[in-house]
Amino acid sequence: CREQVVCWDAKTGKVLWKDVFNVFQTDIPAPRVGWAAMCGDPETDRVFVHSVDGIFRCYSADGEVLWEHSLLETFGKISGYGGRTQTPIIDEDRVIVSFLAANWGDTKGPSPKHYYYAFDKNNGELLWTAAPGGAPKDTNYSAPIVRVIDGTRMLIAGNADGNLYAMQARTGEPIWKFRLSKRGLNTTPATDG
């Protein structure tokens, strides 16, 4: 099974560039590849991809790989049947991605848990790691959002433990939680005001 990132000309549909790579380290049924959406950054013209097997990659507008991390090898990413992945988001100078992890190495913490990782979107350097919840109750596809509420910049995310969490967007420090489900959350939160 293979995965690909393709860039088309929006006006003509012509393929401008394409990167095709093998899927490994997870059992992926061919018709279910590609759980997470790619994330584009209009400020830098870069595209960020969280592949089904845990490669987190940054592309230039011309398709050059600028930096990448193997989330499985570096952080112990856990991938269930079908390559469960979450869509990354951009906030200021950070690209933030989350996934279930056994977590080892420099960021070792309790495991398994649902972790959030913020990387410098320009060079891929890890800025912070957060794991505000308990043990995962299910897989999770909830993309986090960032909102400024009462003057505080919050990363708000649905977690695999059934809670909704708010964290400091610039540091990952916990702010609040709300019990929403007995299982993992699969929808992106919304805010009003």
Side-chain angles (χ1 to χ4, degrees):
C1 190
R2 303 186 84 193
E3 192 170 1
Q4 60 185 323
V5 176
V6 183
C7 177
W8 290 276
D9 183 292
K11 293 180 183 173
T12 68
K14 177 184 173 189
V15 173
L16 301 176
W17 58 265
K18 178 174 19 176
D19 186 19
V20 180
F21 45 94
N22 290 330
V23 172
F24 60 99
Q25 302 182 49
T26 191
D27 51 347
I28 306 295
R32 293 177 66 184
V33 170
W35 287 84
M38 291 177 279
C39 175
D41 180 25
E43 183 181 313
T44 62
D45 290 332
R46 293 179 177 183
V47 175
F48 301 90
V49 174
H50 183 189
S51 78
V52 295
D53 57 345
I55 299 298
F56 190 50
R57 190 174 279 170
C58 173
Y59 291 92
S60 71
D62 297 326
E64 176 187 357
V65 175
L66 300 175
W67 56 262
E68 75 175 25
H69 294 282
S70 172
L71 302 176
L72 175 82
E73 293 173 338
T74 308
F75 304 110
K77 176 184 161 86
I78 297 169
S79 177
Y81 180 70
R84 316 286 204 229
T85 57
Q86 291 84 11
T87 299
I89 66 163
I90 300 290
D91 180 46
E92 299 177 326
D93 63 343
R94 296 171 300 282
V95 56
I96 301 168
V97 65
S98 72
F99 49 89
L100 304 184
N103 214 1
W104 51 60
D106 293 341
T107 61
K108 181 162 178 40
S111 72
K113 287 185 83 170
H114 187 154
Y115 282 85
Y116 300 86
Y117 297 83
F119 297 94
D120 183 302
K121 68 181 183 182
N122 296 301
N123 60 24
E125 176 187 344
L126 181 63
L127 301 173
W128 57 258
T129 301
K137 304 292 184 194
D138 209 340
T139 56
N140 171 277
Y141 314 109
S142 176
I145 61 171
V146 174
R147 298 292 184 270
V148 177
I149 300 172
D150 294 331
T152 300
R153 188 173 200 85
M154 297 182 193
L155 177 74
I156 304 169
N159 196 278
D161 70 355
N163 287 303
L164 190 66
Y165 290 95
M167 296 159 269
Q168 295 280 351
R170 293 178 178 128
T171 65
E173 292 298 315
I175 300 172
W176 54 258
K177 77 175 185 179
F178 179 77
R179 184 76 175 163
L180 196 61
S181 172
K182 292 182 179 183
R183 306 291 294 187
L185 299 176
N186 290 320
T187 57
T188 297
T191 59
D192 180 16

